[in-house]
Amino acid sequence: MNLLASMHNTLLRWGRGVLGAWGAWWQVLLIGAEIVVLALSPSSYDDPEERHAIMAHLYRASAPLLTWFLVLSALVSLVLIRIVVATALSYGLSQYALEVLVRTLVLELIPLYAALFVAVRYTMPESQRIRRLLSDEHRRGLRRPRQQLLRLDMLPRALAGVFSVLLLAALSCFIALVLTYLNVYGFSPWALADYNRSVGSVFSPAVSLIFGLKTLFFSLAVAFVPMAASAQPDAGGGYARRSDITEFARLLSVILLLEVVSLMGNYY
């Protein structure tokens, strides 16, 4: 009898966990779809207050992060470039060093850490601000209209997160390509044709499409997953603060899933 009761309780907890996880992911998809519809609707940009909020968040999501991210990205790129070039020379495989650098650094690593950087420095803190706002309103007995929450609070932050990831990834890829050329060929301009040919051979149409879609979906995940979690009420209807580790783990699982899909598209 005790065994049956224990199994029943275990199955009940498991079922509640599955339903809770399904509800959380459904909330992400629902709010993400609503934000996409609002972002594509011209009426979202008619109000001067909404336009000002969007421009302000675009600045806050990119300008303060730009300098430090590019400096760190350049340092990481330089270290990886030196390691790959030195290793390739030691094994007599220098002709493959450039392709390895472009595939690992530009195609895989830069979009990944650009997305994580924006998530940690902007979208996750902003989602906590939205949750605190909703919690304060809930304690005062107020209830903000859902459309107002989406248009004035979530849409500007989501657009800013997408813009920041795309901007940082593009600038970081450019810096990585320049540093790769300088480390492989030096300051001579005569190798530009060979360098462009080598890089172009890596960026085939299929690889370029997968790279662009992966970076775009990374930015959408960084923008939507934290925002959707911030608007999801607790079991009691409140908006208590959630663990940053839990929210980051949820976002990381989405990003890793997208990374696995992109790897399968590129190499299988």
Side-chain angles (χ1 to χ4, degrees):
M1 192 68 178
N2 291 335
L3 179 60
L4 291 176
S6 177
M7 292 178 60
H8 177 267
N9 292 332
T10 301
L11 291 175
L12 186 62
R13 287 195 302 268
W14 181 81
R16 288 174 178 173
V18 171
L19 290 177
W22 169 251
W25 287 115
W26 176 249
Q27 179 85 352
V28 171
L29 294 175
L30 180 62
I31 292 182
E34 290 175 329
I35 293 176
V36 169
V37 171
L38 287 175
L40 298 177
S41 175
S43 63
S44 301
Y45 310 98
D46 291 340
D47 189 355
E49 182 182 356
E50 294 178 3
R51 290 200 304 269
H52 180 268
I54 291 172
M55 296 302 297
H57 280 284
L58 288 178
Y59 175 82
R60 289 174 54 186
S62 55
L65 309 183
L66 199 58
T67 301
W68 283 111
F69 177 80
L70 293 182
V71 170
L72 292 174
S73 177
L75 291 175
V76 171
S77 299
L78 190 60
V79 170
L80 291 177
I81 290 168
R82 292 305 303 165
I83 291 174
V84 172
V85 171
T87 304
L89 287 175
S90 65
Y91 286 99
L93 301 173
S94 57
Q95 67 272 21
Y96 301 110
L98 183 58
E99 181 177 351
V100 171
L101 283 171
V102 173
R103 286 188 177 276
T104 57
L105 186 57
V106 177
L107 292 181
E108 307 301 339
L109 292 180
I110 287 178
L112 181 61
Y113 65 70
L116 295 178
F117 189 86
V118 174
V120 172
R121 294 296 303 274
Y122 178 75
T123 57
M124 291 183 64
E126 289 297 324
S127 69
Q128 291 291 358
R129 287 191 179 93
I130 293 177
R131 193 162 184 85
R132 284 198 300 270
L133 176 65
L134 293 174
S135 178
D136 293 339
E137 292 177 351
H138 178 74
R139 283 197 298 269
R140 295 199 302 267
L142 303 176
R143 184 173 179 84
R144 177 181 296 236
R146 182 180 180 86
Q147 194 69 9
Q148 182 183 3
L149 176 66
L150 288 170
R151 295 177 73 98
L152 295 181
D153 295 310
M154 290 190 172
L155 177 62
R157 290 171 169 85
L159 290 177
V162 172
F163 174 77
S164 182
V165 172
L166 297 178
L167 176 65
L168 296 183
L171 293 178
S172 186
C173 286
F174 174 76
I175 291 175
L177 290 173
V178 171
L179 291 175
T180 300
Y181 178 86
L182 295 177
N183 278 272
V184 175
Y185 299 106
F187 290 93
S188 173
W190 308 113
L192 278 174
D194 291 337
Y195 179 72
N196 291 335
R197 192 180 305 110
S198 300
V199 173
S201 65
V202 175
F203 282 94
S204 64
V207 171
S208 300
L209 178 62
I210 293 173
F211 172 71
L213 290 176
K214 178 178 72 171
T215 308
L216 176 62
F217 281 113
F218 275 2
S219 65
L220 294 176
V222 165
F224 293 160
V225 174
M227 294 299 153
S230 68
Q232 185 176 14
D234 302 329
Y239 295 90
R241 178 181 173 84
R242 291 182 172 179
S243 171
D244 291 334
I245 299 299
T246 302
E247 300 303 324
F248 183 76
R250 179 183 298 177
L251 174 61
L252 186 62
S253 65
V254 177
I255 291 178
L256 291 180
L257 177 62
L258 293 173
E259 180 67 26
V260 169
V261 172
S262 71
L263 289 174
M264 292 175 62
N266 279 331
Y267 301 109
Y268 289 98

